[in-house]
């Protein structure tokens, strides 16, 4: 089916990451199967981090192996460092995404590295990809691009500088993340316009949160600036544990409804999507 935009489901990673009750591997696989049946064609399936730090993601390699059985699905995983990228690439992912924070305070809290150290980490990951798996895409998303609960204001010039640096380091694309849910539509338009001017076609996805109820409005603003890739999570699951007070992602069901109602093709069947949301709602309520 032809589509106008890509909606990337991040529930199995970003959504589940802050939840203490662990979803069994077979239920995660069933969830991905249901998302795929509904027409979702990119899923962030897991993060490759030490199991002792994040038990929810201990089965990351098994999840990737199952996801790869779904034809045409782009299997994506979050990796915070070279070791995680090596494990993800060995498991067979099609795409790795690296969180690089625009906020100095958030960078230290989230990945225990400075922003400059994370840029060097992107360079190492890109080089490893070039040497061992050139078919794998490398994305470096700029977290806290619109403000930070730890630091406060994040200068827009620094956001654009970091995006330019990660592209120079070898990332294939760099998008903007509203990790804390601070963004407003005018800010979204301004910063995505600047991003596209700075890195051109390598400008990537909008990863927006709904902390203050502006998630959909911000997605629409990004779309009006030419953004065609959006991250979202079933039932609005998610939220960064290192961004105090920030709640979940844009709701996938709402995002699909909005765009389809506007005549913007997502390739996703809304009725089947509602069937796929049951596991995410169970996790949200603790079932």
């Amino acid at each position: 089916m032809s589509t106008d935009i890509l909606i990337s489901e991040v529930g199995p990673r970003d959504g589940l990451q802050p939840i203490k009750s662990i979803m069994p591997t077979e239920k995660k696989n069933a969830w991905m199967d249901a998302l795929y049946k509904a027409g979702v064609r990119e899923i962030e399936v897991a993060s490759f981090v030490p199991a002792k730090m994040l038990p929810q993601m201990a089965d990351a390699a098994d999840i990737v192996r199952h996801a790869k059985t779904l034809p045409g699905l782009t299997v994506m995983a979050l990796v915070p460092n070279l070791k995680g990228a090596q494990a993800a690439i060995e498991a067979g992912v099609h795409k790795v995404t690296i969180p690089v924070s625009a906020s100095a305070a958030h960078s230290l809290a989230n990945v225990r590295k400075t922003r400059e150290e994370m840029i060097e980490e992107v360079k190492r990951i890109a080089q490893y990809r070039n040497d061992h798996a050139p078919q794998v895409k490398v994305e470096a998303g700029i977290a806290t691009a619109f403000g930070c609960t730890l630091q406060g204001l994040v200068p827009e010039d620094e956001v654009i500088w970091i995006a330019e640096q990660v592209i120079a380091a070898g990332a294939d694309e760099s998008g903007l993340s509203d990790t804390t849910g601070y963004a407003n539509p005018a800010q979204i338009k301004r910063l995505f316009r600047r991003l596209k001017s700075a890195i051109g076609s390598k400008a990537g996805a909008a990863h927006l949160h709904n902390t203050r109820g502006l998630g959909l409005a911000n997605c629409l603003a990004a779309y009006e600036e030419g953004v065609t890739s959006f991250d979202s999570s079933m039932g609005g699951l998610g939220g960064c544990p290192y961004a105090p007070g920030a709640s979940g992602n844009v709701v996938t069901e709402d995002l699909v409804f909005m765009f389809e109602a506007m005549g913007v093709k997502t390739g996703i069947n809304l009725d089947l999507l509602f069937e796929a949301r049951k596991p995410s709602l169970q996790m949200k309520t603790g079932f």
Side-chain angles (χ1 to χ4, degrees), residues 206-229:
H207 180 106
L208 307 178
H209 283 221
N210 199 41
T211 310
R212 291 160 181 81
L214 290 177
L216 286 181
N218 287 337
C219 285
L220 181 57
Y223 174 74
E224 290 172 346
E225 284 300 321
V227 176
T228 57
S229 182

Side-chain angles (χ1 to χ4, degrees), residues 103-173:
S103 159
H106 182 263
S107 185
L108 290 172
N110 190 42
V111 293
R112 297 183 178 88
K113 288 184 174 68
T114 66
R115 298 176 302 174
E116 292 75 14
E117 287 171 334
M118 281 305 297
I119 292 167
E120 289 301 310
E121 201 70 29
V122 172
K123 186 180 295 185
R124 286 189 284 269
I125 291 170
Q127 187 59 58
Y128 180 85
R129 179 278 307 271
N130 293 344
D131 293 341
H132 297 89
Q135 76 282 1
V136 173
K137 298 295 183 183
V138 174
E139 173 192 65
I142 309 304
T144 61
F146 301 91
C148 175
T149 53
L150 298 173
Q151 176 178 306
L153 179 68
V154 177
E156 292 185 4
D157 287 349
E158 293 186 16
V159 175
I160 300 303
W161 175 79
I162 292 173
E164 291 173 329
Q165 292 302 304
V166 296
I167 294 300
D172 298 304
E173 61 184 66

Side-chain angles (χ1 to χ4, degrees), residues 42 74-77 79 89 93-98 125-126 129 133-140 170-173 202:
E42 181 172 286
T74 297
V75 181
M76 179 169 61
V79 298
I89 289 171
V93 300
H94 304 124
K95 185 177 182 179
V96 295
T97 181
I98 311 160
I125 291 170
R129 179 278 307 271
Q135 76 282 1
V136 173
K137 298 295 183 183
V138 174
E139 173 192 65
D172 298 304
E173 61 184 66
K202 293 183 182 291

Side-chain angles (χ1 to χ4, degrees), residues 14-30:
D14 194 347
L16 293 183
Q17 187 164 280
I19 294 176
K20 292 182 180 179
S21 55
I22 297 174
M23 180 181 277
T25 303
E26 61 271 17
K27 286 193 175 183
K28 292 180 185 178
N29 290 342

Side-chain angles (χ1 to χ4, degrees), residues 25-92:
T25 303
E26 61 271 17
K27 286 193 175 183
K28 292 180 185 178
N29 290 342
W31 186 11
M32 287 188 294
D33 290 346
L35 287 165
Y36 179 81
K37 184 179 179 182
V40 175
R41 288 299 177 265
E42 181 172 286
I43 302 176
E44 188 180 54
V45 301
S47 59
F48 280 78
V49 296
K52 64 180 180 181
M53 292 181 60
L54 198 58
Q56 184 74 260
M57 298 294 144
D59 58 356
D62 294 329
I63 295 298
V64 168
R65 278 190 283 271
H66 175 80
K68 285 189 66 185
T69 67
L70 303 173
L73 177 69
T74 297
V75 181
M76 179 169 61
L78 181 137
V79 298
N81 51 39
L82 176 59
K83 186 175 181 179
Q86 290 169 333
I89 289 171
E90 183 179 344

Side-chain angles (χ1 to χ4, degrees), residues 7 9 232-236 250-257 268 273:
I7 293 181
E9 173 61 43
S232 61
S233 177
M234 295 293 295
V250 170
V251 179
T252 302
E253 307 92 291
D254 294 346
L255 191 61
V256 171
F257 174 80
I268 298 173
L273 192 62

